[in-house]
Amino acid sequence: MAISLLADHVYSSVTDIDPQTLADAGIRLLLADLDNTLVPYGVLEPEPSVREWNQGLRTAGVTLFLLSNSRKPGRPETFAQKLDIPWIGHAGKPKAGGFVRAMERMGCTPEETAIVGDQIFTDILGGNNAGVTTLLVEPIRLAGNPGRYVRYAVEWPFRALARQRSRR
């Protein structure tokens, strides 16, 4: 199996992803990374815009599901509860296991599932490994961890290629 680091679609933020467009494409389950995708690192409350977007997903028949690699005790669970969505922490992305567990739990196939995240080497690679539609967003905030700057610099060429592909 070929390894792909390119996302199917690229957006500035999660709220730029139209819920009805997902539903029209047959997506019933949207897996979402937490940190720097839904909120900045360390933020405990969903922004009103994310709450409204989640409601739009529900209205369109798409379930938002938190799929996080966070190892902070209780962080994914607490955040997911505030949005009233299912979750898996310690997901082990980019391995496909967390993706498969989420799809099995929600009764969805890879063709009915998408992942949205800010990192190519976890979210996008993992989604491609699991055979789901991959949606890349720009990280919300890089400040606070020098390692993030390095990681995103390494990802830059793949982001640029995915942006080009997404425009087609």
Side-chain angles (χ1 to χ4, degrees), residues 1 3 8 15 17 28 35 43 45 49 64-65 67-68 73 79 86 88 95 102 105 113 116 120 134 143 150 163 168:
M1 173 169 66
I3 295 174
D8 294 313
T15 57
I17 301 168
R28 294 180 37 230
D35 291 315
V43 173
E45 290 287 330
S49 61
L64 184 62
F65 189 115
L67 188 68
S68 175
F79 190 88
I88 292 177
K95 295 177 186 170
R105 183 167 155 194
T113 305
V116 60
I120 288 178
T134 53
V150 173
R163 264 192 230 81
R168 293 183 195 154

Side-chain angles (χ1 to χ4, degrees), residues 36-98:
N36 251 357
T37 297
L38 294 177
V39 291
Y41 281 91
V43 173
L44 303 175
E45 290 287 330
E47 292 288 326
S49 61
V50 171
R51 289 180 186 276
E52 183 178 313
W53 176 70
N54 182 41
Q55 187 55 49
L57 289 168
R58 284 188 175 130
T59 300
V62 178
T63 300
L64 184 62
F65 189 115
L66 185 63
L67 188 68
S68 175
N69 277 354
S70 178
R71 296 197 175 275
K72 293 184 179 170
R75 177 157 168 64
E77 178 181 12
T78 301
F79 190 88
Q81 287 173 344
K82 290 177 181 182
L83 282 175
D84 191 28
I85 61 173
W87 62 277
I88 292 177
H90 303 279
K93 296 178 287 182
K95 295 177 186 170

Side-chain angles (χ1 to χ4, degrees), residues 125-161:
L125 178 58
N128 286 331
N129 286 341
V132 305
T133 300
T134 53
L135 312 174
L136 179 66
V137 294
E138 294 301 317
I140 294 172
R141 182 174 59 207
L142 294 178
N145 183 333
R148 285 186 209 134
Y149 293 103
V150 173
R151 182 177 60 237
Y152 289 117
V154 171
E155 291 181 351
W156 184 88
F158 303 104
R159 288 177 179 280
L161 285 170

